[in-house]
Amino acid sequence: MTDPEILRYTQETGDFSRMLQSIPYAAWIGLQCERFGDDLIFRLPCKDSNLGNPILPAIHGGVIGGFMEMSANIYLIMSQESLRMPRIVDFSLDYLRAGLNRETYAECRLTRQGNRVANVMVTAWQKSRSQPIATARAHFLLED
């Protein structure tokens, strides 16, 4: 399947497995996505290969950042009616607490979408949404 076919399949069926397997980094960190009504929840499973500090043990900050950036990108793709591929312009990440070696979740919110630019907020948490481990703002350029 080509990229547009995979995106169309994902939009039509809600099955994210083909899309996530077609993105090498998403497959490597184990990124998963599920739709609950209109909401998408992204999941980063507990994996030893995602650890940056095995003594705590804590997830590597780059893995958390990559997970959140990829979640924002997928969220934006899925929220559009057309199959435009967004290009990241800026990504700003605030680490709020250690991401321990347990399942991590992310939720995205589209804060602005124009004809050429879109902004997405991302919140990542582990045990409780009310205690996020990181928040991020992603700015994308939308091209035809």
Side-chain angles (χ1 to χ4, degrees), residues 3 10 12 17 26 28 49 56-57 70-71 75 82-83 88-89 94-97 119 122 125 127 129 136:
D3 288 345
T10 304
E12 290 172 359
S17 59
W28 187 71
S49 60
L56 283 178
M70 201 161 303
S71 298
Y75 177 82
S82 65
L83 294 176
I88 191 113
V89 174
D94 296 317
Y95 294 101
L96 305 175
R97 53 183 53 86
N119 299 341
V122 187
W125 73 92
K127 282 187 169 183
R129 268 192 178 124

Side-chain angles (χ1 to χ4, degrees), residues 1 5-23 26-27 30-43 70-79 108:
M1 269 189 177
E5 289 172 341
I6 291 171
L7 292 176
R8 190 171 291 108
Y9 171 82
T10 304
Q11 284 181 330
E12 290 172 359
T13 65
D15 177 6
F16 290 85
S17 59
R18 289 183 188 174
M19 178 171 49
L20 295 173
Q21 287 303 312
S22 73
I23 305 168
L31 189 141
Q32 298 171 4
C33 180
E34 291 186 41
R35 183 179 295 277
F36 296 94
D38 290 338
D39 296 332
L40 294 178
I41 301 294
F42 298 89
R43 188 171 80 84
M70 201 161 303
S71 298
N73 204 328
I74 293 168
Y75 177 82
L76 184 55
I77 290 168
M78 297 310 294
S79 68
C108 303

Side-chain angles (χ1 to χ4, degrees), residues 36-117:
F36 296 94
D38 290 338
D39 296 332
L40 294 178
I41 301 294
F42 298 89
R43 188 171 80 84
L44 181 67
C46 178
K47 281 180 68 172
D48 288 343
S49 60
N50 289 342
L51 294 181
N53 183 341
I55 295 174
L56 283 178
I59 302 169
H60 191 282
V63 172
I64 293 170
F67 166 63
M68 293 177 76
E69 181 179 328
M70 201 161 303
S71 298
N73 204 328
I74 293 168
Y75 177 82
L76 184 55
I77 290 168
M78 297 310 294
S79 68
Q80 301 178 86
E81 291 182 16
S82 65
L83 294 176
R84 296 190 291 183
M85 291 298 295
R87 286 188 20 200
I88 191 113
V89 174
D90 181 52
F91 188 78
S92 179
L93 178 61
D94 296 317
Y95 294 101
L96 305 175
R97 53 183 53 86
L100 301 177
N101 191 25
R102 58 175 67 125
E103 285 191 335
T104 304
Y105 303 92
E107 186 172 43
C108 303
R109 186 170 49 94
L110 186 64
T111 56
R112 177 184 186 277
Q113 181 169 357
N115 290 327
R116 297 184 40 85
V117 181

